[in-house]
Amino acid sequence: MKIRTEPNPGSGSVAAAAPTASLGRTRRWAKLKKDKWIYLLLAPGLLYFLIFKYVPMWGILLAFKDYQPFLGFWKSSWVGFEHFKIFFGNPEFVMLLRNTLILSFYNLLFYFPVPIILALLLNEVRRAYFKRTIQTLIYVPHFISMVIVASLTYVFLTTQGGIVNGLLEKYTGSTIDFLASPDWFRPMIILQTIWKESGFGTIIFLAALAGVDVEQYEAAIMDGANRWRQLWHITLPSIRNTIVILLILRMGEVMDNGFEQIYLMLNPLNREVAEVFDTYVYMMGITQGAFSYSTAVGLFKAVIGVILVLGSNWLAKRFGQTGIY
């Protein structure tokens, strides 16, 4: 009597999977070899992020140590979350958080839409020479140092011979100390940002507008749509994904207000509304030598930024947008 044996399906599937995996690896290596010059172009960018972004990340361990320069990094004592407890218990924490969030909110409310509006306006310009001239003029401020921008602000707004206060004194008989007034600090920062960065921010939106299908506009014109209807039903939906992605990335900078700009406009008279996390880290880490404490503050900012990016990306996908991943 012969006993019929059935083949083991598990062993067969494993045996079949091995050549498949090997074939997949071979194809991947063949693709890498074929496109090697394209991948080589990625090398400088990858090296930049590796050397200047990932390798220095070991430094966040300072936030959990009582770093002493004469002892070195490894011999300094481990204190865990002690610096975070001190920071959150600091009476200035609420002031720093409030000032940082208010400035970021104003930037999102007033600055973020300006490049979009400028790009839409430039997209309507039909004369190429005039369009290029306007683009050049609004791009220039981006390349001006923030030190120069702060100096220009001082020249215009100072009470000692400033152009604006000179006009106010001439027509109203009084002056306003813009540079020292807490009420005027935030408007000055927002106006500086709009003037300096709005033009350069139009580049991405103009690139997105260049990809809009012209036939859609032609079809809309045939249907009797005016320019506003074309803008609302064709142009804005076409760049919506770009707007959402840039907004998500912007959320990661909510805790960053730009150290140089704030530091140059900060003074003892407006410190109550001007001091933010960026300037506080500089003051504690560089001027007072509290390296571990300032690292803890910086790590707190980074964690909040990551949470905001992931949260806003999740929210964007819930509403049917592309997101950043």
Side-chain angles (χ1 to χ4, degrees):
M1 178 178 181
K2 294 183 179 180
I3 300 175
R4 184 177 179 182
T5 58
E6 298 291 336
N8 186 353
S11 61
S13 60
V14 172
T20 304
S22 177
L23 182 60
R25 286 193 297 268
T26 303
R27 288 177 177 175
R28 284 195 296 269
W29 279 112
K31 183 174 177 57
L32 286 172
K33 187 176 180 180
K34 177 183 176 182
D35 301 327
K36 60 182 177 181
W37 298 114
I38 297 178
Y39 287 106
L40 188 62
L41 291 174
L42 293 174
L46 292 175
L47 286 174
Y48 167 79
F49 280 99
L50 180 64
I51 296 172
F52 296 104
K53 299 296 182 181
Y54 287 98
V55 173
M57 285 183 68
W58 68 271
I60 64 175
L61 293 175
L62 281 179
F64 306 97
K65 285 175 166 283
D66 183 18
Y67 177 70
Q68 302 295 331
F70 59 88
L71 290 177
F73 178 81
W74 299 111
K75 292 185 179 180
S76 297
S77 58
W78 184 271
V79 296
F81 291 93
E82 188 64 29
H83 297 301
F84 294 94
K85 294 178 182 178
I86 296 172
F87 176 54
F88 296 141
N90 192 329
E92 292 188 330
F93 172 74
V94 176
M95 178 194 73
L96 295 170
L97 184 62
R98 182 184 66 245
N99 293 342
T100 300
L101 292 180
I102 290 176
L103 271 178
S104 295
F105 174 75
Y106 283 174
N107 270 315
L108 285 173
L109 183 63
F110 297 109
Y111 163 69
F112 185 78
V114 175
I116 303 173
I117 296 171
L118 282 176
L120 293 174
L121 292 174
L122 286 171
N123 191 55
E124 297 298 321
V125 177
R126 292 294 172 257
R127 297 197 177 187
Y129 174 77
F130 184 68
K131 182 177 181 179
R132 289 196 298 267
T133 303
I134 296 297
Q135 284 180 277
T136 303
L137 291 175
I138 64 177
Y139 289 168
V140 168
H142 172 77
F143 302 99
I144 297 176
S145 168
M146 187 54 69
V147 176
I148 304 299
V149 175
S151 300
L152 290 173
T153 305
Y154 179 84
V155 169
F156 276 93
L157 301 180
T158 180
T159 55
Q160 315 238 343
I163 297 174
V164 175
N165 272 307
L167 294 173
L168 286 175
E169 188 174 11
K170 180 179 179 180
Y171 291 106
T172 65
S174 61
T175 60
I176 300 175
D177 195 356
F178 295 100
L179 300 175
S181 173
D183 295 332
W184 284 99
F185 175 79
R186 288 166 183 153
M188 278 195 305
I189 295 297
I190 301 303
L191 288 173
Q192 283 180 346
T193 304
I194 290 174
W195 180 77
K196 189 175 187 299
E197 301 296 341
S198 294
F200 197 77
T202 61
I203 293 177
I204 295 176
F205 296 108
L206 286 172
L209 289 170
V212 180
D213 189 2
V214 181
E215 292 182 358
Q216 295 185 41
Y217 292 109
E218 295 173 353
I221 293 172
M222 294 294 293
D223 290 336
N226 57 26
R227 302 301 297 178
W228 289 108
R229 289 291 183 182
Q230 295 173 41
L231 174 68
W232 185 257
H233 293 288
I234 299 175
T235 307
L236 287 177
S238 298
I239 64 172
R240 182 168 50 202
N241 286 336
T242 303
I243 295 173
V244 170
I245 290 173
L246 290 179
L247 182 60
I248 292 171
L249 295 176
R250 184 70 184 175
M251 293 301 296
E253 300 176 359
V254 164
M255 304 301 286
D256 296 319
N257 298 119
F259 163 74
E260 187 179 14
Q261 182 184 17
I262 304 297
Y263 181 74
L264 290 169
M265 303 304 298
L266 176 66
N267 59 61
L269 296 177
N270 61 19
R271 181 181 179 274
E272 184 181 351
V273 298
E275 189 81 76
V276 294
F277 288 121
D278 295 316
T279 55
Y280 184 71
V281 167
Y282 170 79
M283 181 185 70
M284 298 302 298
I286 303 300
T287 63
Q288 298 189 20
F291 300 112
S292 294
Y293 181 76
S294 60
T295 303
V297 178
L299 182 57
F300 164 75
K301 288 174 46 189
V303 170
I304 296 300
V306 170
I307 292 173
L308 289 174
V309 168
L310 295 178
S312 56
N313 185 76
W314 175 83
L315 193 62
K317 286 193 169 184
R318 290 282 293 179
F319 282 94
Q321 300 303 312
T322 304
I324 58 175
Y325 64 88

